[in-house]
Amino acid sequence: NASTDGSLALAEQLARAHPNIRVISYPDNQGIICSLNRCYAEVRGDYAVLLCADDRLVPGALSRSVAFLEAHRRVGMVYGPALDFGSIETVDQSRLSGPPRAPLIYDGVSWIDARCRSGKNPIRAPEAMVRASTIAEVGGRLDPRSPHTSDLNMWLRLASKGDVAFLPGPPIALYR
């Protein structure tokens, strides 16, 4: 998306080292929603996580989420805690580990009802993993007409197609 922070060069370096990484870039800034929609359109595997260049996943987060989705076929989306951080050097490493606790599984309608009653979006993005089939089922596009709530709209649509699970315990992601 025409980033000037060196993320394209880093992505290209990673792609050279790992053949399963594909780099897609824009020569000019198309905006975050356009970029995220392109990400959804490019999903080729069974699961997807939206991870922006300034966010981080905690070691083991992907395998934890995949294992959960593999074991719970009715769950279309799983997420866990995300910690806010300013720089990776300031993260208290002791907060990144610990025993997982019992997952909370909500039927999609109940999860939607709770979101509508609270008026809060519990997911920022990097802490959520979604089944690619569920993304395809809801059309896989964020609505650019709602730039401040397009992600919540997507989470609600995903929840309309399957159960939603929360994995309490150690964080899944670091969000900046």
Side-chain angles (χ1 to χ4, degrees):
N1 212 10
S3 295
T4 59
D5 63 0
S7 55
L8 178 58
L10 177 59
E12 290 170 339
Q13 176 185 354
L14 289 169
R16 285 190 298 275
H18 304 278
N20 61 327
I21 295 176
R22 289 178 300 122
V23 176
I24 297 162
S25 63
Y26 292 111
D28 57 338
N29 190 329
Q30 299 288 317
I32 187 72
I33 291 177
C34 178
S35 292
L36 296 178
N37 283 338
R38 180 69 184 269
C39 290
Y40 281 132
E42 293 292 333
V43 172
R44 299 292 183 265
D46 294 330
Y47 308 108
V49 172
L50 289 175
L51 184 65
C52 294
D54 53 352
D55 298 330
R56 303 284 186 268
L57 292 174
V58 173
L62 292 176
S63 59
R64 186 172 156 205
S65 295
V66 167
F68 187 86
L69 287 168
E70 290 289 322
H72 298 86
R73 293 292 182 181
R74 291 182 38 150
V75 174
M77 176 173 62
V78 62
Y79 68 104
L83 295 178
D84 291 327
F85 79 108
S87 72
I88 201 69
E89 294 79 26
T90 64
V91 174
D92 179 355
Q93 297 297 309
S94 69
R95 295 184 66 195
L96 301 182
S97 61
R101 297 197 305 262
L104 305 171
I105 302 175
Y106 304 92
D107 69 88
V109 172
S110 296
W111 192 86
I112 292 169
D113 182 67
R115 300 296 66 78
C116 291
R117 290 182 186 280
S118 74
K120 295 182 179 169
N121 183 355
I123 303 172
R124 291 174 277 188
E127 71 272 27
M129 181 177 283
V130 182
R131 287 186 193 281
S133 60
T134 308
I135 293 169
E137 195 173 352
V138 300
R141 295 197 53 81
L142 298 171
D143 188 345
R145 298 171 299 174
S146 305
H148 302 292
T149 58
S150 61
D151 57 341
L152 177 58
N153 177 279
M154 177 63 86
W155 308 138
L156 294 171
R157 291 183 322 186
L158 291 165
S160 76
K161 301 298 181 186
D163 293 346
V164 176
F166 179 75
L167 303 179
I172 297 288
L174 303 174
Y175 180 80
R176 183 166 36 193

